[in-house]
Amino acid sequence: MRRIGITFILVAATAGISRGQTSLTGSSLAMQSQGSATLSSNGYVGTYLVVPAGGATVDFTVNASEGSGSGTAPHMELVVADTDLGFNVNSTTASNYTSGPITLPAGTYAVSDERDYQGNVATTQSFTVNNFSVSTLSGSSVSFSNVNTDASGNALAAANTYIANYRQGSAAVTLSGPHDIPLLAGTPITVKMGRNQFNFGTNVAGNSQSDINTYLASNPTAGSTADNFQQFINTYFNAVVPSNVGKWSEDEATQNSITMGAADTVTAYAKLHQMTARMHNVIWGSQQPTFVNTLLTNAQSTNPSTAAAAKASLNTAITNRIGYYVGGGDSAATNYPSNQKNTVTGDIRAQDYSQIDVLNEPINTPPYNTILGTSGVANVYQQVQNAIANAGANTRAYTNEYNVLQNAPDAYANFYKNYIESINNAAGSQVVNGIGVEYYPTGQGPAPSPSTIEGALLNLGVEGLPISLTEYGQQSSLSASQAPTVLDDALRLMYGNPMVNTFMIWGWWAGATDSMDSSSVLVNTTWKNSNGTWNLTAAGQQFVADMTAWTTPTQTEYVGASGAINFSGYYGDYYLSGEPTGSEDANVIPYDLAFNQGTSTYNTTVAKPENWFFWTANGSGTWGSGSNWTDSTQGGGTPNTAGFTAYFGSSATSYNLSNGAATTVNIATPAVTVTLSTPVTLGMLVFDNSTTSYTLAGSEISLQGYNNANGHVAAIFVNNGSHTISAPVALLDDTTVTVEPGSSTLTISDLLSSSVNLTKAGPGKLAVNALNLSSLTVDAGTVQVLANGTSASDSSLGSLTLMAGASVDLTDNSLAVNYSRTNLPSVVVGYIAAAYDGGRWDQPGITSSIAADSAEYTLGNVVNASQVLIAYTLVGDANLDGWVNSVDLTLMQTAGTTWGSGDFNYDGKVNADDYALFMLGAAASAKLGRAVPEPGTLAMGCGLVVIAFRRAKIGRL
């Protein structure tokens, strides 16, 4: 992991600090983890950069030289915010290494030049930074502020700059409902942040299952400790860790008698509430079972055989503990025994952990280091990593230590960095892949120092591993008046560092048995004030203020025509589906979007989109019965509002908001009739069941979209199956009907006349009784006018557009299409000609599936002053009066090119082929008892056409 985005007022520069420098000698750099500009081992030199308002694009130049020695050149890493650039320092002569353009928003930045662990594992040479400079390529002129003291404010300013610009961003999210069904344009989307990507966590106190139940009991009584505890952590924390029940003494007090249930309760709670679970810890020099303490003592015996036997037994005990604590030990097991699984979730335990403290406080509590040595400790980590891999988990294995950020042997925490490197070097890989630091600020000794903390964090960051502040608690010697500032500083320094991803507060409630001093806690013993608000300490008020500031305000965005919304906010997990107030606070409903740094465009499927109602009855029923529906907010009711969606699928799921349990009803009845006893108004209807055929019958359905800038459109979407709406359908807004499967048909048997525009999408078929609309656009598939037998249905369109491959099937009906300069009659007639295809009617266009089965019938047309009139009629019916007689023969012209002048086969000319069609239609007309031409007239017409045809043929010789 290297560098892990919001808006704050940046901390102003302290008066008197020089801001004008753009070039610094290496020896003058404010931060030098090894006390000089020469990095003989992994570490860094660094300073601060100030970018004025407006931001700037800069590049950095490092003048460096390689130290003596042979082998691979040392690796240098230039780091600023989330930019991380590597160079091999491969010359003993001073050489320039330039970054290339880097764009930085206004603010203060920590800039470090590292000799990094990952690039230098097998390298012994040092390198020296001779000079460090910055050039402004565009924007405001930048300069160095080369000082790292608390008085300068640079450490906190850099943290605030990072929080302001790199812990949040903007997202474009294309949304769809179940099975990728697009949401209706104009749909309001409540964008609510569920949890921050950064882990703000806390401990769950206690030494037993009973203690844990005090805080995490299911369905707690209102006002109880468990109720208040869960309300607070669900609101302000997104990570938990057991403070004691994860320790060896509580999990295996008697050897081979495993009691992990209490720890399992904590991690199961985290999983249910979509929190990060830390586990603390596999082994430690304290709080070990009696049998382990005996082994630790004997393993340090002066008697070699006693020490060797105890060490071997200790290693066996550790391996067994890893087996049940993580799962699988170091064997590639596929079937795990029950004692390796969480007793609540049933998961292999590692699958429920995000982070795990393997060896706790190894330097300050050293027995395991003393007994096992570096290689032995590395082997423990390797076993843990093997178990994690075998379990298919993503858990990171941490080391954890205190006096790292304060009261450390050196201000840059080199002792701890070097220890981590020694373990990984011994293992030959990064078996320690997470760095845990504890921070217990005190009023004694050195005061809490932001500049010192920043210096140490930058040095630990050289390892390229995520850093977690695993334990934070203020000591009694720190005054209550200091507590809010110290806590705020710590929160900002961690959240404002690219390598830190976790901040865990221990002992936040004054009533907890293992809380810190009263100056540390966030909530007083009495949970709430008389008005129902939290009874917060001064530190608690500061904490809540920070958590509120770093939570994206809930906002409403509207789905655009492209199906997307745009919003800005902190990186984290979001609800986009309109969960009710309360459920998202408990976090039991799955999140809809993981908004991550580095990704700005998303395609997200929302299981329960806002304002969607799901039919839940496995059989027929009435629309107006609330028991037949579940809705996205689970507030009850039935769909009957403009813009709302009624979904008829193959299943419907509802959630128990107290425990997250899902109840799913499968709908498999072959035919379901939904009866509307009163009219309803909707924005969209969705049909999504391939085995159940839905019929909507009864009162009128009006389709009307949302009344907002992106709305005023309605839709019907058939995702699976064939379905029928026999209820009258009124289109009140422009409507798109999508029939996605090519084999599916949506039948609307009573589509009312409307002045709106209808678009048909998808390869399937829309069958309607008539088309009386402002316009019809068929993007794909077929729109069919249902056959009416002898009572033809007349349809009228203001305009008609058929895209390539699309059709309108008039069956036995007529259609009038208005034309204009943009909707030419030749285009409309061309649709018919294209579909005709020599009488086969097998091509896209304006067609007739009934005419395709009868040689005597076809689609004719007449163009008048404003319309193209199209009708299912007998061939030869030039004037579309339903008769084929002398009137039609008279209209036939040898120079004709239209149906009305005798071009009955749409080939652009009138000849014997058309006369033959005329005769076919005349014969059919006679069978129907309709008048036919007089014999003499018929013969004369025949002769004229034949002569014209022959002349035409001679002319082509």
Side-chain angles (χ1 to χ4, degrees):
M1 168 186 168
R2 213 0 144 176
R3 319 308 156 198
I4 308 248
I6 72 197
T7 304
F8 280 85
I9 297 174
L10 303 177
V11 177
T14 303
I17 301 300
S18 173
R19 302 289 186 183
Q21 292 177 286
T22 58
S23 181
L24 300 168
T25 62
S27 60
S28 71
L29 289 170
M31 291 179 281
Q32 300 178 6
S33 69
Q34 295 180 16
S36 77
T38 297
L39 297 173
S40 56
S41 60
N42 300 325
Y44 80 104
V45 294
T47 187
Y48 293 97
L49 180 76
V50 177
V51 180
T57 298
V58 304
D59 67 13
F60 296 94
T61 298
V62 182
N63 183 276
S65 51
E66 180 184 13
S68 61
S70 60
T72 305
H75 189 263
M76 178 174 68
E77 202 84 7
L78 176 65
V79 179
V80 55
D82 286 336
T83 298
D84 188 357
L85 302 170
F87 306 88
N88 289 319
V89 182
N90 52 13
S91 175
T92 56
T93 301
S95 303
N96 287 334
Y97 300 88
T98 302
S99 67
I102 301 171
T103 298
L104 299 172
T108 299
Y109 295 84
V111 185
S112 58
D113 201 51
E114 303 176 349
R115 185 183 187 276
D116 62 300
Y117 174 78
Q118 296 181 86
N120 292 283
V121 171
T123 302
T124 58
Q125 295 103 308
S126 64
F127 68 78
T128 300
V129 175
N130 305 305
N131 191 269
F132 190 67
S133 62
V134 63
S135 298
T136 303
L137 304 179
S138 64
S140 305
S141 296
V142 306
S143 60
F144 291 123
S145 177
N146 189 37
V147 58
N148 186 38
T149 63
D150 293 338
S152 73
N154 280 338
L156 285 170
N160 284 336
T161 296
Y162 189 83
I163 293 170
N165 296 289
Y166 298 91
R167 290 288 187 189
Q168 76 165 5
S170 297
V173 186
T174 299
L175 294 169
S176 58
H179 299 168
D180 294 326
I181 296 165
L183 302 190
L184 191 64
T187 298
I189 300 297
T190 302
V191 180
K192 177 160 185 169
M193 190 176 185
R195 58 157 287 160
N196 199 297
Q197 187 181 61
F198 190 95
N199 300 314
F200 293 103
T202 189
N203 69 313
V204 181
N207 295 74
S208 66
Q209 184 71 63
S210 176
D211 291 342
I212 298 302
N213 290 343
T214 299
Y215 301 106
L216 300 184
S218 299
N219 302 312
T221 302
S224 65
T225 294
D227 179 46
N228 284 305
F229 184 89
Q230 292 175 40
Q231 283 187 50
F232 194 85
I233 67 171
N234 291 345
T235 302
Y236 295 111
F237 295 108
N238 58 28
V240 292
V241 60
S243 51
N244 285 320
V245 295
K247 294 170 182 173
W248 203 345
S249 58
E250 310 303 330
D251 305 334
E252 195 183 358
T254 301
Q255 190 166 16
N256 297 321
S257 178
I258 312 305
T259 54
M260 285 285 290
D264 291 343
T265 300
V266 176
T267 57
Y269 186 92
K271 182 177 181 180
L272 172 62
H273 294 82
Q274 303 177 89
M275 295 179 172
T276 293
R278 297 198 82 254
M279 272 306 286
H280 178 73
N281 49 60
V282 180
I283 54 178
W284 185 24
S286 180
Q287 289 184 262
Q288 306 293 274
T290 299
F291 77 90
V292 173
N293 287 330
T294 300
L295 292 173
L296 289 171
T297 299
N298 290 341
Q300 299 177 75
S301 169
T302 57
N303 185 313
S305 60
T306 300
K311 181 178 178 180
S313 296
L314 179 63
N315 275 319
T316 298
I318 293 171
T319 296
N320 291 338
R321 175 156 170 79
I322 293 170
Y324 70 76
Y325 200 84
V326 185
D330 60 354
S331 63
T334 55
N335 296 312
Y336 286 78
S338 60
N339 71 357
Q340 296 184 7
K341 295 181 179 180
N342 186 298
T343 54
V344 182
T345 67
D347 299 330
I348 302 167
R349 287 196 172 95
Q351 296 173 343
D352 290 337
Y353 311 155
S354 175
Q355 305 174 9
I356 183 170
D357 293 331
V358 178
L359 176 51
N360 189 48
E361 301 174 358
I363 300 171
N364 285 296
T365 315
Y368 282 99
N369 276 334
T370 303
I371 296 166
L372 301 180
T374 302
S375 61
V377 171
N379 181 59
V380 172
Y381 274 93
Q382 187 64 69
Q383 290 184 63
V384 171
Q385 289 290 4
N386 292 341
I388 290 169
N390 292 337
N394 296 314
T395 315
R396 284 187 173 268
Y398 275 67
T399 185
N400 189 43
E401 190 53 88
Y402 65 89
N403 282 354
V404 175
L405 305 179
Q406 184 177 349
N407 300 322
D410 69 86
Y412 290 96
N414 283 297
F415 78 101
Y416 191 36
K417 177 186 68 67
N418 294 338
Y419 173 79
I420 295 166
E421 287 186 12
S422 70
I423 302 301
N424 286 334
N425 289 338
S429 64
Q430 286 185 306
V431 290
V432 177
N433 60 354
I435 301 174
V437 295
E438 304 170 23
Y439 180 38
Y440 289 100
T442 174
Q444 298 175 346
S449 170
S451 59
T452 301
I453 291 173
E454 177 75 350
L457 289 175
L458 291 173
N459 198 31
L460 293 174
V462 167
E463 299 301 298
L465 298 175
I467 301 171
S468 293
L469 198 159
T470 57
E471 300 178 32
Y472 176 89
Q474 297 173 355
Q475 302 296 309
S476 58
S477 56
L478 192 70
S479 71
S481 61
Q482 290 176 288
T485 299
V486 174
L487 174 60
D488 181 55
D489 287 351
L491 284 166
R492 291 181 182 277
L493 288 165
M494 300 304 153
Y495 193 41
N497 186 289
M499 301 304 294
V500 182
N501 64 12
T502 301
F503 189 110
M504 306 293 290
I505 293 180
W506 282 48
W508 59 271
W509 178 49
T513 56
D514 61 352
S515 68
M516 296 295 105
D517 183 74
S518 59
S519 65
S520 168
V521 298
L522 308 180
V523 182
N524 288 306
T525 304
T526 303
W527 288 97
K528 292 184 178 181
N529 301 310
S530 58
N531 61 1
T533 60
W534 294 107
N535 186 6
L536 300 173
T537 65
Q541 294 173 34
Q542 182 62 59
F543 177 77
V544 168
D546 285 341
M547 293 303 99
T548 302
W550 298 334
T551 299
T552 304
T554 300
Q555 56 198 274
T556 300
E557 305 294 338
Y558 298 91
V559 174
S562 65
I565 62 168
N566 296 276
F567 76 93
S568 297
Y570 294 87
Y571 297 118
D573 296 319
Y574 283 79
Y575 292 106
L576 304 176
S577 54
E579 284 79 8
T581 299
S583 72
E584 60 267 70
D585 294 333
N587 296 336
V588 298
I589 305 296
Y591 297 119
D592 300 310
L593 174 69
F595 179 28
N596 298 316
Q597 186 175 13
T599 303
S600 59
T601 59
Y602 297 85
N603 289 284
T604 299
T605 297
V606 181
K608 296 175 75 67
E610 198 152 355
N611 298 338
W612 278 42
F613 288 72
F614 298 78
W615 181 260
T616 59
N618 185 20
S620 298
T622 58
W623 184 291
S625 174
S627 63
N628 289 332
W629 301 92
T630 181
D631 64 298
S632 58
T633 63
Q634 303 198 138
T638 62
N640 187 12
T641 301
F644 284 19
T645 293
Y647 179 92
F648 299 93
S650 57
S651 65
T653 301
S654 58
Y655 292 95
N656 182 319
L657 301 185
S658 65
N659 61 21
T663 301
T664 300
V665 175
N666 294 315
I667 301 167
T669 304
V672 169
T673 297
V674 180
T675 303
L676 293 89
S677 56
T678 58
V680 299
T681 299
L682 295 167
M684 183 162 71
L685 285 163
V686 176
F687 299 95
D688 193 9
N689 194 324
S690 59
T691 59
T692 295
S693 178
Y694 284 101
T695 296
L696 308 186
S699 298
E700 183 174 301
I701 299 172
S702 296
L703 291 177
Q704 184 174 23
Y706 289 101
N707 184 23
N708 58 46
N710 293 346
H712 301 290
V713 293
I716 302 176
F717 199 102
V718 178
N719 199 50
N720 276 298
S722 292
H723 309 278
T724 299
I725 305 174
S726 61
V729 175
L731 306 183
L732 305 184
D733 275 328
D734 291 349
T735 302
T736 297
V737 177
T738 303
V739 184
E740 194 56 40
S743 60
S744 293
T745 298
L746 173 66
T747 301
I748 304 177
S749 58
D750 193 4
L751 180 63
L752 304 178
S753 299
S754 174
S755 60
V756 305
N757 305 306
L758 175 64
T759 299
K760 161 65 177 62
K765 181 190 294 183
L766 170 63
V768 299
N769 58 300
L771 292 167
N772 290 292
L773 304 160
S774 177
S775 74
L776 172 66
T777 299
V778 186
D779 285 336
T782 299
V783 175
Q784 183 185 72
V785 181
L786 293 165
N788 285 274
T790 58
S791 177
S793 174
D794 294 327
S795 295
S796 178
L797 295 171
S799 68
L800 172 65
T801 302
L802 301 183
M803 306 305 291
S807 295
V808 170
D809 178 7
L810 292 180
T811 60
D812 60 357
N813 298 287
S814 63
L815 171 65
V817 181
N818 293 354
Y819 63 81
S820 64
R821 290 181 179 178
T822 57
N823 195 41
L824 298 173
S826 59
V827 173
V828 178
V829 175
Y831 293 148
I832 308 171
Y836 180 77
D837 191 29
R840 289 179 289 273
W841 295 105
D842 59 357
Q843 296 299 309
I846 299 177
T847 188
S848 168
S849 56
I850 294 180
D853 294 329
S854 172
E856 293 106 345
Y857 285 88
T858 187
L859 292 182
N861 71 88
V862 171
V863 178
N864 64 26
S866 61
Q867 291 180 317
V868 179
L869 305 175
I870 308 166
Y872 170 82
T873 190
L874 290 166
V875 292
D877 182 12
N879 63 357
L880 302 185
D881 64 355
W883 302 72
V884 180
N885 53 26
S886 57
V887 176
D888 301 299
L889 183 60
T890 301
L891 293 172
M892 295 181 69
Q893 303 171 29
T894 57
T897 59
T898 66
W899 174 275
S901 60
D903 180 19
F904 302 132
N905 63 359
Y906 294 101
D907 65 357
K909 56 185 179 292
V910 177
N911 55 26
D913 294 338
D914 300 293
Y915 182 74
L917 292 173
F918 171 83
M919 294 297 294
L920 182 63
S925 184
K927 289 179 183 179
L928 295 173
R930 298 174 181 171
V932 298
E934 295 294 329
T937 306
L938 184 60
M940 179 178 66
C942 179
L944 290 172
V945 172
V946 170
I947 291 169
F949 180 65
R950 287 175 177 170
R951 286 176 178 172
K953 291 181 70 175
I954 292 171
R956 287 197 294 269
L957 293 176

